[in-house]
Amino acid sequence: MEELEQRITELEIQTALQDDLIASLSDTIAKMQQTLDLQQAQMRVLYQKMQDKGANGEREAYSLRDEIPPHY
């Protein structure tokens, strides 16, 4: 009987540890999703800038050097 109680206790401990791990992984995934959403928004902005620059009739390729502030 004591052995059975010990096994049950060990299973309860394992379940508690797994619950903590699952919660931690869930938080990590949520943070990664936020980061991915931000990166996608930034990519949309850059893509729109490239489209706008091309729509102005300019034949030059878009360059990040065009974005350097004048004090550099």
Side-chain angles (χ1 to χ4, degrees), residues 29-44:
I29 289 171
K31 288 176 186 175
M32 291 175 73
Q33 183 63 48
Q34 289 175 342
T35 301
L36 181 59
D37 291 342
L38 177 62
Q39 289 175 344
Q40 288 175 336
Q42 291 171 339
M43 288 294 292
R44 280 192 290 276

Side-chain angles (χ1 to χ4, degrees), residues 12-62:
E12 288 174 341
I13 291 170
Q14 286 179 355
T15 302
L17 291 174
Q18 287 175 350
D19 287 344
D20 289 343
L21 178 60
I22 290 170
S24 174
L25 290 172
S26 180
D27 291 343
T28 301
I29 289 171
K31 288 176 186 175
M32 291 175 73
Q33 183 63 48
Q34 289 175 342
T35 301
L36 181 59
D37 291 342
L38 177 62
Q39 289 175 344
Q40 288 175 336
Q42 291 171 339
M43 288 294 292
R44 280 192 290 276
V45 168
L46 287 173
Y47 181 77
Q48 188 61 45
K49 280 185 178 183
M50 290 175 56
Q51 294 297 320
D52 291 346
K53 191 156 186 134
N56 290 337
E58 298 177 15
R59 295 284 183 200
E60 295 180 20
Y62 180 75

